[in-house]
Amino acid sequence: MDKEISKNFIEKIIDQDLKEGKYTKIATRFPPEPNGYLHIGHAKSILLNYGLTQEYNGIFNLRFDDTNPTKEKTEFVESIVADVEWLGAEYDGEVKFASNYFQDMYEGAIKLIKKGKAYVCDLSAEEIKEYRGTLTEPGKNSPYRDRTIEENLDLFERMKNGEFEDGSKVLRAKIDMSSPNINMRDPVIYRIARMTHHNTGDEWCIYPMYDYAHPIEDAVEGITHSICTLEFEDHRPLYDWVVQELEYEHPPKQIEFAKLYLTNVITGKRYIKRLVDQGIVDGWDDPRLVTIAALRRRGFTPESLKNFMELVGVAKSNSSVDYAMLEYCIRDDLKPKAPRMMAVLDPIKLVIDNYPEDQVEYLDAQVNMENPELGVKQVPFGRELWIEREDFMENPPKKYYRLFPGNEVRLMNAYFVKCVDFEKDENGNVTVVHCTYDPITKNGTGFTGRKVKGTIQWVPVKQAKKVTVRLYENLVDEEKGVYNEDGSVNLNPNSLTVLDNCYIEPSIEEYKPGDSFQFVRNGYFCIDTKDSTEGNPVFNRIVSLKSSFKLPKKQM
C-alpha cells in the first residue's frame, strides 16, 4: 500500500497501461537535439526515463533528434553520449539517430498525401504565419490547400529531387485551420533546405519538422511512453494525430512533466553559447556552469545528481529549486568517501624553534575521520610548516582560539605548539610565526595533561606540493537576478578566484585528475580534468563545507 502511495503520476499511468494490456514491455528514450551541451535539467530527464525502465524491466534508448542540420555538430553528439554514460544510464544497443529514419518519415509523408491529409504549399513563411490566425481568431485556408493528391505527390517528389529553391515550398499537414490549438492549424511537416547533415551528408535536401518527426521516431523504435517537459503539452494533439494517421499498431503515449528550474543559474543554450563565444567562460564545461560536463568537471558525482533528482521528485507543475539543495547532495555524497587532505590556501610560515632542524617524522592521520574503513596514511612533519594566514592574529578579538602571542593550539595530527614570536615584512604583513612545541603532546599518545581550544591544519614546507586552486562563486549576481531587461546576463565579477600560491600535503601525488577530496576546513575540491598536467594539478572547489540548506524533516 505504501509503495503505491509513493509512486509519481507517471508511474501510475504506466501501471494502468500495463494493467489494461496496452503494452507488454515498457520502452522510453532520451531524445536530445545535438545543438549544445546538456545541462542539469536534461539530467533529470535522463535519470527519469532510465529509472522507469529499470523499475519496469524495460528498454531505454538514446536517440538524437538531429532533424535540423543548421545547429548540429558531432562535438555535441559526443559530449551528450559521454554525459549519459557518466550518469550511468545504460541505453539499449547502439546510439540512435532520427536521421536514420528519414526514409520512414518520407514514406509517412507520402502516405498522408495519399490519404488527403497533407499538401504542398507555396506560401512564404511570413504568409503562413499571417494565415495562421491568433489565439482568439481562427486561421484561414491556404490557397494551395485543395491541390489534388496527384499534384501533391508530384510536387513533393520534385521537392525531394531538388527542383525547387530553399523555402519556396513546404509540405503541410491538412488538419483544421480553425482549431483552438494553433499547433493543429495545418502545421508545416517538411521544408526544403540544402544543408549538409552530420549523419546523412547531402543525401536529402528536404528535412522533416520536429513535431512531425518525433512521434515517428518513437513509433519506429517501439517507444511506449514518450516522456517530455510541459512546453510540449500543447503539441500532444499533433503528436497523437501523426501516429494515428500513420496507423501505427502500438502508438506511443506522450506524457509531460515539469522542468527542473534551479535558482540563479543559467541553463538556456543560447545564453551559454553567448558566454562561450564571448570568452566569459572557458567552454561549455566551465565549472561555473550547470551543464552536465561542467558539473562533472567541477567535481559533482552521478550519485549526488541522482540523490538530488530524488529529492526534487516528479511533478506536473513548474517550480524552482534552491541551488543549495544540489550543494547539500554533493556534500552528503562526498562526506563519507572523500579523503581528507591538509591544504593551505593563503600561506604563512610557522617555525618550531625547539624542533630539530633536520628531523622529519611521519605522523599517522586517518584518511577520513568519519569512515575508518578508508584507513590511515602518514604525513611528514618537520621544523618548518605552512599554515593559513587567518590562523594567526597579532591582536585577536575575544573567542579567537587560534595562534596569537602566548597562545597554544594543536597542530592537527601532530603536537601542541605555543606562539612565542612573529616576523613582519616592510609592509607590516606577518610572514613568519615562531612557536615552540611540547613533545609529550604528540597526537595518539593519549596525553591528557592540559587542553587547548584551537586546532589548525598545516603542511610541511620541504615536502609540500605547490598547487593552483580555483575558488568558484555563482556565475550570476544573485542580488540582481539572472538576466537584465536586454537579455544579457548579470555576471558576478567574483565568480572565479585563482590562487597560485597554495600548498598541499605530498600524498596528493598518489591521485589523478577527477579525484575529489575534502581540504580540511576549506571545502571539497577535485583535481581539474582539463587544465591539470602531470606534476601540476589544478584544484576546483566543488562546494564549501557549510550549507544553508536544511533537508525537510519528512525527507530525512
Side-chain angles (χ1 to χ4, degrees):
M1 184 68 178
D2 291 340
K3 185 172 177 62
E4 178 64 28
I5 292 173
S6 68
K7 288 195 171 187
N8 62 53
F9 76 97
I10 296 176
E11 292 169 318
K12 291 176 181 178
I13 291 172
I14 292 174
D15 285 344
Q16 188 65 28
D17 288 344
L18 291 172
K19 183 179 178 180
E20 294 174 0
K22 291 183 179 177
Y23 308 105
T24 57
K25 193 176 185 68
I26 297 303
T28 67
R29 80 291 170 270
F30 176 63
E33 184 180 354
N35 61 357
Y37 281 54
L38 302 182
H39 57 67
I40 191 167
H42 296 110
K44 179 178 182 180
S45 181
I46 294 166
L47 294 171
L48 172 59
N49 278 282
Y50 178 66
L52 289 169
T53 60
Q54 292 296 99
E55 180 181 352
Y56 292 97
N57 192 28
I59 293 171
F60 172 72
N61 286 352
L62 171 58
R63 178 226 306 146
F64 288 93
D65 263 319
D66 56 345
T67 58
N68 183 13
T70 56
K71 299 179 180 179
E72 296 161 358
K73 295 181 181 178
T74 301
E75 172 196 354
F76 298 141
V77 171
E78 292 172 350
S79 74
I80 290 170
V81 171
D83 289 344
V84 172
E85 293 180 349
W86 177 73
L87 283 170
E90 299 176 7
Y91 47 85
D92 185 64
E94 302 264 329
V95 173
K96 296 170 175 58
F97 293 89
S99 52
N100 292 343
Y101 313 131
F102 278 168
Q103 186 62 34
D104 297 271
M105 297 170 194
Y106 176 74
E107 291 171 3
I110 297 294
K111 184 171 185 175
L112 291 177
I113 292 172
K114 289 181 177 179
K115 292 177 70 173
K117 298 291 185 176
Y119 63 95
V120 175
C121 181
D122 296 1
L123 293 178
S124 66
E126 293 76 16
E127 290 169 330
I128 290 174
K129 185 177 180 180
E130 181 185 336
Y131 274 56
R132 188 177 292 136
T134 66
L135 291 172
T136 56
E137 297 178 356
K140 58 182 180 180
N141 290 346
S142 164
Y144 307 101
R145 197 174 197 266
D146 295 325
R147 278 175 164 160
T148 65
I149 290 174
E150 290 72 24
E151 186 178 4
N152 284 319
L153 287 171
D154 175 64
L155 290 171
F156 188 55
E157 176 74 13
R158 291 166 64 191
M159 285 171 61
K160 180 179 79 76
N161 292 339
E163 293 185 27
F164 305 117
E165 293 182 6
D166 289 10
S168 62
K169 297 181 188 299
V170 294
L171 184 69
R172 299 175 66 179
K174 186 187 287 190
I175 307 178
D176 181 4
M177 289 303 296
S178 62
S179 172
N181 186 333
I182 291 181
N183 294 299
M184 300 297 281
R185 295 180 187 176
D186 290 12
V188 174
I189 59 175
Y190 261 97
R191 82 276 198 200
I192 305 170
R194 288 170 174 80
M195 299 179 289
T196 299
H197 191 282
H198 76 95
N199 191 30
T200 60
D202 297 319
E203 182 181 350
W204 296 87
C205 66
I206 56 171
Y207 289 98
M209 304 300 286
Y210 176 87
D211 280 348
Y212 169 72
H214 192 77
I216 295 176
E217 298 157 29
D218 286 342
V220 170
E221 290 182 5
I223 301 302
T224 57
H225 296 84
S226 179
I227 299 166
C228 55
T229 45
L230 283 175
E231 71 265 31
F232 292 100
E233 187 172 20
D234 289 340
H235 298 248
R236 192 195 324 147
L238 179 53
Y239 184 101
D240 292 342
W241 183 90
V242 171
V243 294
Q244 179 182 332
E245 291 298 336
L246 293 181
E247 302 172 30
Y248 288 103
E249 186 176 355
H250 299 290
K253 174 183 288 189
Q254 179 174 304
I255 306 172
E256 306 86 18
F257 70 98
K259 269 187 173 181
L260 171 59
Y261 290 100
L262 271 181
T263 56
N264 296 313
V265 301
I266 302 166
T267 54
K269 287 180 183 177
R270 69 180 183 278
Y271 292 107
I272 296 176
K273 185 177 186 300
R274 191 182 304 165
L275 295 174
V276 173
D277 291 344
Q278 293 175 354
I280 295 171
V281 295
D282 74 352
W284 289 83
D285 62 350
D286 186 295
R288 290 168 289 178
L289 298 172
V290 289
T291 60
I292 298 176
L295 290 169
R296 180 166 67 247
R297 184 179 168 196
R298 175 84 172 252
F300 282 80
T301 61
E303 294 78 13
S304 67
L305 294 188
K306 290 172 187 174
N307 186 27
F308 175 64
M309 299 309 169
E310 288 177 7
L311 290 177
V312 170
V314 180
K316 290 184 179 181
S317 55
N318 289 326
S319 61
S320 291
V321 178
D322 194 332
Y323 185 82
M325 183 190 285
L326 179 61
E327 294 182 319
Y328 165 84
C329 290
I330 185 61
R331 285 191 195 94
D332 188 59
D333 184 54
L334 291 179
K335 192 175 182 180
K337 64 186 184 185
R340 302 303 195 256
M341 285 280 174
M342 288 193 292
V344 175
L345 307 189
D346 185 13
I348 57 172
K349 186 177 288 188
L350 183 147
V351 177
I352 305 173
D353 293 338
N354 63 333
Y355 193 88
E357 191 164 347
D358 297 322
Q359 179 174 314
V360 177
E361 63 178 309
Y362 287 84
L363 306 175
D364 289 340
Q366 282 191 298
V367 174
N368 184 321
M369 284 77 82
E370 298 188 36
N371 187 353
E373 292 182 5
L374 293 182
V376 174
K377 61 181 177 179
Q378 290 197 313
V379 183
F381 181 85
R383 186 171 188 264
E384 295 188 349
L385 310 171
W386 295 117
I387 64 170
E388 289 285 0
R389 182 172 298 277
E390 66 176 21
D391 285 340
F392 172 81
M393 292 188 74
E394 181 180 358
N395 299 298
K398 287 184 178 180
K399 297 187 178 181
Y400 181 84
Y401 299 123
R402 286 167 268 176
L403 280 173
F404 56 88
N407 193 45
E408 191 173 43
V409 301
R410 175 174 285 286
L411 295 176
M412 186 174 290
N413 303 310
Y415 300 92
F416 286 9
V417 293
K418 185 176 182 178
C419 178
V420 295
D421 200 2
F422 59 92
E423 301 175 26
K424 292 183 177 180
D425 62 17
E426 64 273 14
N427 297 317
N429 298 313
V430 175
T431 55
V432 181
V433 176
H434 288 272
C435 291
T436 57
Y437 88 115
D438 185 346
I440 68 171
T441 61
K442 184 175 182 178
N443 188 55
T445 60
F447 172 77
T448 57
R450 61 186 184 277
K451 294 186 178 181
V452 292
K453 292 185 176 180
T455 299
I456 65 174
Q457 82 268 28
W458 51 273
V459 292
V461 168
K462 288 184 178 180
Q463 295 87 359
K465 179 74 177 175
K466 189 175 182 180
V467 297
T468 297
V469 172
R470 297 191 289 215
L471 306 178
Y472 295 104
E473 293 181 10
N474 200 317
L475 185 60
V476 171
D477 187 328
E478 297 181 31
E479 293 184 3
K480 296 180 181 178
V482 179
Y483 303 112
N484 295 306
E485 290 183 5
D486 62 0
S488 61
V489 176
N490 273 316
L491 294 171
N492 172 11
N494 301 313
S495 64
L496 171 62
T497 301
V498 180
L499 305 175
D500 291 318
N501 190 36
C502 305
Y503 293 93
I504 190 168
E505 61 181 83
S507 62
I508 193 63
E509 294 181 352
E510 301 171 14
Y511 297 92
K512 63 184 185 304
D515 287 343
S516 298
F517 317 87
Q518 185 193 109
F519 285 4
V520 176
R521 295 171 55 213
N522 277 315
Y524 290 98
F525 292 75
C526 78
I527 304 177
D528 187 74
T529 54
K530 189 173 183 178
D531 296 331
S532 297
T533 57
E534 183 148 3
N536 295 290
V538 175
F539 289 86
N540 300 328
R541 183 167 67 185
I542 307 167
V543 66
S544 63
L545 291 178
K546 294 182 179 179
S547 173
S548 60
F549 175 76
K550 299 296 183 184
L551 193 65
K553 288 184 178 179
K554 64 180 181 179
Q555 294 176 317
M556 293 181 72

